Amino acid sequence: MTSIVQNLTRRSLLKGAGGLVVAFSVSRGFGPAAAQATGTLKSVAEGVVDSYLSIDADGLVTVYSGKIDYGTGVRTGFAQMVAEELSVPLDRVSVIEGDTALTPDQGPTYGSLSIEVGGKAIREAAATAREAMLGVAAERFGVEKDTLGITDGVIGGGSDEISYSELLNGKHFSLDVDENVKLKDPKTFTIVGQPIIRDGLPGKITGAFHYMQDFKIDGMAHARVVRPPAMEATLDNVDESSIAHLPDVQIVRKGNFLAVVAETEWTAVRAARELTANWTTVESLPDQAEIWDHVRQTPIVEDDVTSDIGDIDTAKGERQISATYDFALHTHGSIGPSCSVADFSDGKLVSWSSSQATHRLRRQLSDMFSISEEDIRCIYIEGAGCYGRNGHEDAAADAALLSREIGRPVRVQWMRHDEHGWAPHGPPTLIDLSARIDDAGEVSAWKGEFFIPQGAGGRVALLGANLAELPTSHDLNPGGITNDSAIPYGFANVRTTCHRLETTPLRPSWIRAPGRMQNTFANESFLDEIAAELGVDPLAYRRSLIDQSDSRGLDVLDRLKEFSKWEERPSPRSQQGETSLTGRGMAYVKYELRRTYVGVVAEVTVDANSGGIRVDRFFVAHDCGQIINPAGVRAQIEGCVIQTTSRTLMEDLTFDRKMVTSLDWASYPIMRFKDVPEVHIDLIERPDDAPWGVGEPTAVVVSAAISNAVFDAAGIKLRSVPFKPAKVRAALAEMRG
């Protein structure tokens, strides 16, 4: 489409029939179950104002976002950005997310890119609309555009004024987004930068919020999938008489996919429990006790060299230190197990789910059922807890398959054992690091080798499609797990290589800060080991190694030092008691070497008798550029610290040769409220700079900071996540002899 922004006329701006479709708005409650039409109901093309924005006859503004809010607060952030650019009250802006019939495809919601990329496009669309409407009003009033002002959605100049809704008169925009449009001066902001309570939060506190798990449509049946007793089991036969005592239950079998459908949810739960089926099982998984040998022995299919500076082989120096780090498999552990409702009728499918990539899910369902994407509509509804690609898409595939098979709408609700056992997981990561030190006490070479599965952030195979032997991708897609393997420090010779493995145990997918967390844990822990070897202060050492022209990186470390009252000295501490050991450790990241800067200090107490670690306090210095909503940013940082502390100290997925065995919260414990550390945050505000992401960057430095704090307290290096008490006791025993 050719841009016409520069040559606007009233006719070109106000084009076509009015009445934009606003069929479904989660932020305003469930409302009617939408016109269940498939295809597209309005423009969803990228780069077109109508794809991101509409203003109705009452002056209410609707934002259409391809990026979704799964508890991150970006829905409120988008509304703030649009309200600011349009100069309308925030309560007149609502947001529709992740509806393939209504919202543009802005890519999956991951990588801390929602505000940085998705919000940028939405803000530019709002500014383009504003400038166009100002131009039309100026033409109508016969005045220069720059003499006009806007207050609460009303354009005024001299004695004339006209509201947006009057100007549009029910018509829609016909404009390309101008990427060079004049944005508001941050000095005039009244909404962006304010700590607005994020949409939905009060209802989440009181229990009134409606999640995906609460969604219902008329005529809906309830289903449960009967999972195999092993990852690669095959279904031999089903004894239908085993549930003959239960009323109105349909059994659906397709390949190795087995499910029950009933009129009530409890009947479906009982039927799934009581149905007798015979399976042939296979021991397809490695022995968990030998997992790291298994990873090291897995064939390497390619090497990704993520940094290659100088020549590590000819670097001078006789002293060499090395260490190996590992990071366990983790599950997403969503508080609300995955859920989906599907209505597959007359060859057309409408799917409601908490997928963070509805446009991608539509393509996957199109492949799975061999129907056109135009015959599928995927609609996002917020789920109860999600930190990446968990089982939402799989539940959507289950519901769609069952709806097609029985010819009516179906709701599939996963159980806890489904979520823990069958959702995809974060893969195991093994990292070898070494450094050479020259006669001057300088690191002359840094070498990193990362053993991680191949693949990136593409489509994760749909579980139901695999079981039913329907088309789906079989590629590994664990996320962008090579990121942050390269380091932000200026050594003369550096080589970091990601050995991409042919396969990995269990189906992988991205889980919060995929790869970046594991890689930064190793890099930042090892840098502290070097600092200890050299007898220097870890924070001052980092500051001396980063690019001295990188003022934002230097500022983060300086602010962290002052904010946390960091006492400059080498680790470990020289004096400690016998049992209760306290220490401080820090870590730093320039996320993906190009955006959000974070420095953290962790304070820990180690019980030398039990081996238990308590994280008492975290100090976070954080620079994410322009801050849209400081309350939202703080909540994200706190979430990063709390969840990653839990992952670092206790989360550990277990499995036997057949399947996952940590199928509940007892076998996969997470941190309780009583163990949550204090989190102190120093937000560095840069209103004139671009906003960067905040959902992941703080998470990546938590594990290293805790490891470094434990070293400061007890003199032991913990290189294997999670830091369970048994590992601590063993390390203390080895050190003390």
Side-chain angles (χ1 to χ4, degrees):
M1 183 176 291
T2 302
S3 174
I4 59 173
V5 173
Q6 291 80 7
N7 298 301
L8 270 175
T9 64
R10 182 175 177 225
R11 178 175 298 174
S12 65
L13 167 63
L14 311 177
K15 187 177 180 181
L20 282 174
V21 177
V22 182
F24 192 77
S25 174
V26 171
S27 62
R28 291 180 177 172
F30 279 124
Q36 295 182 22
T38 55
T40 55
L41 303 180
K42 57 176 281 296
S43 171
V44 296
E46 288 189 83
V48 179
V49 171
D50 287 323
S51 296
Y52 302 100
L53 184 70
S54 71
I55 302 175
D56 71 9
D58 296 322
L60 300 177
V61 178
T62 302
V63 177
Y64 301 93
S65 170
K67 300 287 188 183
I68 57 90
D69 185 335
Y70 50 116
T72 56
V74 295
R75 183 187 308 129
T76 303
F78 294 151
Q80 287 180 260
M81 297 168 87
V82 168
E84 187 70 70
E85 291 297 335
L86 290 178
S87 295
V88 299
L90 185 60
D91 62 6
R92 286 165 60 183
V93 180
S94 63
V95 181
I96 291 177
E97 311 146 70
D99 183 334
T100 57
L102 298 174
T103 63
D105 183 0
Q106 295 184 285
T109 304
Y110 58 19
S112 289
L113 296 171
S114 294
I115 291 292
E116 184 174 332
V117 176
K120 177 176 181 290
I122 289 169
R123 170 182 270 173
E124 290 172 349
T128 300
R130 180 200 64 221
E131 291 299 306
M133 289 188 290
L134 279 170
V136 174
E139 182 182 333
R140 178 175 291 191
F141 298 163
V143 300
E144 294 297 320
K145 180 179 161 185
D146 59 8
T147 66
L148 301 177
I150 306 173
T151 303
D152 292 345
V154 176
I155 300 174
S159 59
D160 296 313
E161 66 177 27
I162 187 169
S163 68
Y164 289 155
S165 56
E166 291 173 316
L167 191 65
L168 289 168
N169 192 27
K171 303 296 193 301
H172 60 73
F173 299 102
S174 182
L175 297 168
D176 285 352
V177 175
D178 180 3
E179 295 181 354
N180 298 311
V181 68
K182 178 183 178 183
L183 300 174
K184 268 194 171 179
D185 185 341
K187 294 183 178 64
T188 67
F189 283 174
T190 59
I191 301 172
V192 166
Q194 297 302 308
I196 307 296
I197 295 174
R198 65 182 187 271
D199 183 62
L201 182 60
K204 291 177 179 176
I205 294 171
T206 63
F209 189 84
H210 284 183
Y211 292 99
M212 176 66 230
Q213 287 81 358
D214 301 306
F215 180 72
K216 298 177 177 63
I217 62 174
D218 293 339
M220 180 181 79
H222 295 268
R224 289 292 187 278
V225 178
V226 180
R227 301 294 171 191
M231 285 294 167
E232 296 187 9
T234 54
L235 179 58
D236 296 328
N237 57 70
V238 179
D239 179 7
E240 297 189 7
S241 66
S242 60
I243 57 170
H245 57 289
L246 297 174
D248 303 321
V249 178
Q250 288 181 259
I251 298 172
V252 177
R253 176 183 177 180
K254 191 169 183 60
N256 296 310
F257 181 87
L258 179 63
V260 291
V261 185
E263 294 303 314
T264 70
E265 185 166 17
W266 178 235
T267 302
V269 171
R270 285 191 61 193
R273 287 177 179 173
E274 298 173 24
L275 181 65
T276 300
N278 293 315
W279 305 80
T280 298
T281 62
V282 178
E283 293 187 340
S284 60
L285 298 176
D287 186 339
Q288 187 168 17
E290 300 175 356
I291 181 65
W292 301 116
D293 288 337
H294 171 83
V295 170
R296 199 175 287 282
Q297 293 167 11
T298 301
I300 295 169
V301 294
E302 64 176 309
D303 283 341
D304 289 341
V305 178
T306 52
S307 61
D308 192 7
I309 301 167
D311 184 352
I312 61 170
D313 296 325
T314 60
K316 295 181 179 178
E318 295 299 322
R319 296 164 65 191
Q320 181 160 320
I321 62 173
S322 60
T324 294
Y325 299 82
D326 61 65
F327 204 103
L329 288 86
H330 281 166
T331 194
H332 294 79
S334 299
I335 300 300
S338 299
C339 179
S340 178
V341 173
D343 184 0
F344 204 143
S345 58
D346 299 327
K348 297 181 185 297
L349 169 64
V350 180
S351 168
W352 293 267
S353 77
S354 300
S355 168
Q356 62 188 109
T358 48
H359 284 273
R360 177 179 288 179
L361 174 62
R362 182 170 69 160
R363 290 191 285 273
Q364 288 191 278
L365 294 174
S366 171
D367 292 342
M368 178 177 173
F369 297 109
S370 300
I371 62 174
S372 165
E373 290 183 34
E374 288 298 305
D375 290 330
I376 301 173
R377 180 180 181 183
C378 293
I379 302 171
Y380 172 76
I381 301 176
E382 187 173 337
C386 179
Y387 310 100
R389 201 294 194 184
N390 64 349
H392 291 313
E393 283 81 356
D394 299 304
D398 293 344
L401 175 58
L402 290 168
S403 180
R404 188 186 73 163
E405 293 299 308
I406 71 168
R408 61 184 286 198
V410 172
R411 174 179 180 268
V412 170
Q413 171 66 66
W414 279 25
M415 305 292 278
R416 175 56 52 199
H417 57 265
D418 296 319
E419 192 71 34
H420 278 203
W422 292 89
H425 307 289
T429 301
L430 182 67
I431 301 161
D432 292 333
L433 295 176
S434 62
R436 185 170 298 170
I437 300 172
D438 64 21
D439 294 340
E442 303 288 341
V443 171
S444 58
W446 171 291
K447 181 180 180 182
E449 297 184 272
F450 302 76
F451 297 85
I452 53 179
Q454 60 179 319
R459 302 182 192 183
V460 177
L462 294 173
L463 179 61
N466 259 335
L467 292 170
E469 300 171 354
L470 293 171
T472 189
S473 165
H474 292 279
D475 295 335
L476 298 180
N477 280 305
I481 57 176
T482 64
N483 282 301
D484 287 336
S485 54
I487 56 174
Y489 305 116
F491 299 124
N493 304 289
V494 179
R495 185 176 177 86
T496 54
T497 305
C498 294
H499 301 302
R500 308 306 298 270
L501 307 181
E502 182 181 62
T503 188
T504 190
L506 302 170
R507 184 174 52 134
S509 76
W510 51 96
I511 175 173
R512 198 173 200 169
R516 303 151 177 87
M517 180 182 294
Q518 293 85 342
N519 303 340
T520 306
F521 158 62
N523 287 337
E524 286 295 295
S525 296
F526 191 58
L527 194 72
D528 256 42
E529 297 202 40
I530 294 172
E533 175 75 15
L534 300 178
V536 297
D537 174 71
L539 194 153
Y541 187 52
R542 284 175 173 80
R543 195 184 187 287
S544 73
L545 293 174
I546 66 174
D547 183 348
Q548 297 301 294
S549 67
D550 188 349
S551 60
R552 294 176 71 163
L554 295 173
D555 196 26
V556 162
L557 290 173
D558 291 342
R559 294 272 289 257
L560 178 67
K561 179 180 179 181
E562 181 180 356
F563 171 56
S564 68
K565 296 182 172 52
W566 181 262
E567 297 176 4
E568 198 165 306
R569 59 171 171 78
S571 281
R573 294 181 61 177
S574 58
Q575 295 182 342
Q576 283 284 14
E578 287 295 317
T579 56
S580 183
L581 312 174
T582 60
R584 301 182 107 199
M586 60 89 52
Y588 164 81
V589 70
K590 180 179 181 180
Y591 200 61
E592 298 173 351
L593 298 185
R594 67 177 183 82
R595 49 188 178 133
T596 305
Y597 297 80
V598 187
V600 298
V601 168
E603 291 184 358
V604 304
T605 301
V606 180
D607 185 325
N609 289 330
S610 69
I613 299 170
R614 176 175 177 81
V615 180
D616 301 304
R617 275 172 290 279
F618 252 95
F619 296 86
V620 183
H622 195 278
D623 175 2
C624 59
Q626 184 184 88
I627 296 172
I628 306 301
N629 184 340
V633 170
R634 288 180 180 276
Q636 284 287 75
I637 293 170
E638 290 169 352
C640 284
V641 170
I642 294 167
Q643 188 198 19
T644 314
T645 299
S646 175
R647 293 178 67 178
T648 302
L649 296 184
M650 59 184 64
E651 296 188 33
D652 190 11
L653 183 143
T654 62
F655 54 89
D656 60 20
R657 296 295 310 280
K658 295 179 181 177
M659 62 180 295
V660 174
T661 54
S662 48
L663 297 175
D664 53 32
W665 293 122
S667 52
Y668 190 92
I670 59 175
M671 179 178 284
R672 304 296 181 93
F673 282 112
K674 65 182 178 61
D675 297 318
V676 169
E678 296 176 18
V679 182
H680 303 272
I681 301 168
D682 180 18
L683 293 183
I684 301 173
E685 298 200 39
R686 300 189 184 276
D688 294 321
D689 289 308
W692 285 329
V694 300
E696 293 179 345
T698 301
V700 309
V701 284
V702 169
S703 302
I706 295 173
S707 174
N708 295 338
V710 171
F711 176 67
D712 189 53
I716 55 173
K717 283 306 303 182
L718 298 180
R719 303 187 181 104
S720 177
V721 172
F723 305 153
K724 288 188 171 182
K727 293 179 182 176
V728 176
R729 291 196 302 270
L732 285 169
E734 181 179 358
M735 181 186 71
R736 293 175 174 178

